[in-house]
Amino acid sequence: MAQLEGLSLIAITDHNTAANVGAVMQVGDQLGLPVLPGMEVQTREEVHLLGIFPSLEAVLAFEQLIWQHLPKVANQPQIFGEQIVYDSADRQKGSIERLLLQSVTLGVEEVGKAITAHGGVTIAAHVNRRSYGLLGQLGFVPETLKLDAVEIDRYFSYERFMDEHQSLGRYPVLRNSDAHQLIDLVDSHSSVVLIEEPSFLALRELLLSGDVGRIRLR
Amino acid sequence: MQLAAIAEALSLSPDHGSFKDIEVKGGYSSDLLSDVMGKAAAKSIWVTNQIHPNVIAVASLIDAAAVIIAGGVQPEEGTLKKAEEVGIPLFTTDLPAFEVVGQLYQLGVRGTARSA
C-alpha cells in the first residue's frame, strides 16, 4: 500500500512493541521499499515518544529494555482489541498477552536517553494534540530532554503550529501519517524530506543538521 | 484559607524543608500541564498525579500556592530540587486525587479558573 501511494521511506512504530517490525522490513526488502524500525513509547507522563532506529537488532534491544518497565497488566481484547503479531506473509503468528496501551514506568528523559543509547533518533509524537503529546502533558519541552524532532499530525497546519509554539522553532518539524490502518497511509499526510538516500542514516543526518529547509510539510 | 491550616487538616507535610504560610485562594486539579498553564488561577492549590519537574515550573509560572501530588506516587528527584529552588510548597499524599479534592472542598476551598 505504501508503495502504491508512492512513498519512498516508511517507519513502523507500534505502541510499546516492535513485534511486527521484522515482518514489515522483510516485505519492504522484497518490494524495494525501505522500512525503518521504530517504536512509539508511552512514558510515565503519558507522553508519546517515537524512537526510530538504525537496525532491527537495535529496536529489539530497545523493546526489551522498555518491556522491563511495562507493567504486567493483561490485555482485555474485548476492550482494547487483539494485539496480533503477523509474519511477512500476513499470517497471524500469535498475539501479545500484556497490555500495550499503557504507560511504561520511565519518564520522558529516561526513554529519550534509552533511544539515544540504542542509536536511535527521538521524535516527540503529535505534539499538537492535547492528549498524549509532549506539550499537552508537560506544557513545554523539558530542558533535560534531548529531542531530534517534533511531529505534528495531519490535521494541524504548520503555520498555526509555529505561531503558537515559537519556542519549538529550534526543532525540525515533521508531519507523519500516523496511519493506524492502510486507508490512512496517504502520500500527502507525510513530509517530503530531501535526503541523499531513503535510509536511517540519511534521515538522522538531516535531523541533526538542523537544515529545516530540506523538510517540506504539505 | 491558610495553607498551614490545609496542611494540618489533610495531615500533609512538605517534601522539602518548611513552607511560608500563605493564603490559598482556591484549587485546581488536572494532570495536563498545558491545561494548568492556561487555566489555573494564581494562589491556587494544585492537585495532580504528575511527578515530572515541569510540574514545579508550571506551578511557579501560574504562581500556585502549593502543589499536592496525590495517589501515593513519589516525585522525581529533579521535581523536589526544583520545588526547593523556586520555593513552591510541595506535598505528597497517599490519598487519591478525588479524596484530596473532596477534603479541600469540605474545608471551603473552591475551584478557581482563569477565563480563557
Side-chain angles (χ1 to χ4, degrees):
Chain A
M1 186 70 194
Q3 209 166 35
L4 286 177
E5 268 297 324
L7 300 175
S8 41
L9 181 65
I10 64 170
I12 301 298
T13 55
D14 282 334
H15 202 257
N16 290 339
T17 180
N20 281 309
V21 171
V24 184
M25 287 177 83
Q26 271 180 36
V27 178
D29 261 355
Q30 288 158 17
L31 297 174
L33 174 73
V35 176
L36 301 181
M39 248 170 88
E40 179 180 54
V41 178
Q42 182 172 318
T43 72
R44 181 166 60 211
E45 304 87 358
E46 305 211 329
V47 170
H48 285 184
L49 285 185
L50 295 169
I52 311 280
F53 296 90
S55 67
L56 181 61
E57 292 69 35
V59 78
L60 292 177
F62 174 74
E63 177 192 44
Q64 204 174 18
L65 173 97
I66 289 299
W67 267 58
Q68 289 168 12
H69 304 278
L70 185 68
K72 288 182 178 133
V73 175
N75 181 34
Q76 295 188 49
Q78 69 279 16
I79 299 172
F80 300 111
E82 292 285 353
Q83 303 178 155
I84 304 167
V85 181
Y86 291 93
D87 70 9
S88 60
D90 209 20
R91 286 178 301 238
Q92 292 192 13
K93 251 182 10 187
S95 58
I96 297 172
E97 301 289 323
R98 208 185 296 183
L99 177 63
L100 296 173
L101 214 74
Q102 58 171 332
S103 299
V104 299
T105 55
L106 300 171
V108 282
E109 289 92 346
E110 290 166 300
V111 173
K113 271 185 197 150
I115 292 172
T116 308
H118 288 81
V121 291
T122 307
I123 304 171
H126 41 72
V127 286
N128 56 288
R129 282 191 215 157
R130 183 173 161 85
S131 300
Y132 298 119
L134 179 65
L135 300 176
Q137 300 295 139
L138 287 181
F140 52 91
V141 183
E143 278 167 32
T144 42
L145 174 64
K146 183 189 156 289
L147 270 188
D148 298 304
V150 298
E151 179 207 62
I152 56 176
D153 70 20
R154 61 177 186 266
Y155 306 107
F156 212 73
S157 98
Y158 176 72
E159 288 72 24
R160 187 172 150 207
F161 178 77
M162 291 317 281
D163 201 44
E164 289 177 12
H165 303 284
Q166 283 157 10
S167 64
L168 287 177
R170 65 182 188 277
Y171 299 107
V173 180
L174 295 171
R175 192 201 310 279
N176 302 315
S177 68
D178 196 9
H180 283 56
Q181 38 193 351
L182 287 178
I183 197 166
D184 295 331
L185 203 58
V186 179
D187 178 40
S188 59
H189 291 168
S190 54
S191 332
V192 176
V193 289
L194 302 176
I195 50 182
E196 287 285 324
E197 49 167 29
S199 70
F200 172 78
L201 287 177
L203 180 67
R204 188 178 67 177
E205 185 276 318
L206 168 65
L207 297 181
L208 298 186
S209 74
D211 185 3
V212 294
R214 284 156 65 201
I215 303 173
R216 289 182 199 153
L217 305 189
R218 290 171 286 175
Chain B
M1 176 148 202
Q2 294 301 116
L3 183 58
I6 290 174
E8 199 191 329
L10 271 68
S11 308
L12 302 171
S13 50
D15 280 18
H16 60 89
S18 55
F19 61 91
K20 209 170 71 200
D21 195 19
I22 48 167
E23 174 79 15
V24 174
K25 297 245 169 82
Y28 200 81
S29 182
S30 175
D31 299 322
L32 283 173
L33 273 57
S34 53
D35 173 64
V36 177
M37 275 165 75
K39 301 232 184 85
K43 304 294 174 210
S44 294
I45 190 161
W46 170 23
V47 182
T48 183
N49 282 315
Q50 288 280 14
I51 57 173
H52 191 275
N54 274 21
V55 166
I56 302 304
V58 169
S60 171
L61 188 80
I62 63 164
D63 191 22
V67 175
I68 302 178
I69 295 180
V73 283
Q74 285 309 306
E76 290 179 27
E77 210 173 295
T79 311
L80 289 170
K81 255 194 224 151
K82 205 154 190 176
E84 201 166 352
E85 243 172 65
V86 301
I88 293 278
L90 174 66
F91 304 96
T92 48
T93 172
D94 287 338
L95 290 173
F98 189 92
E99 287 294 328
V100 175
V101 172
Q103 292 193 17
L104 288 171
Y105 199 89
Q106 278 189 333
L107 290 170
V109 179
R110 294 293 176 260
T112 55
R114 281 191 281 134
S115 42

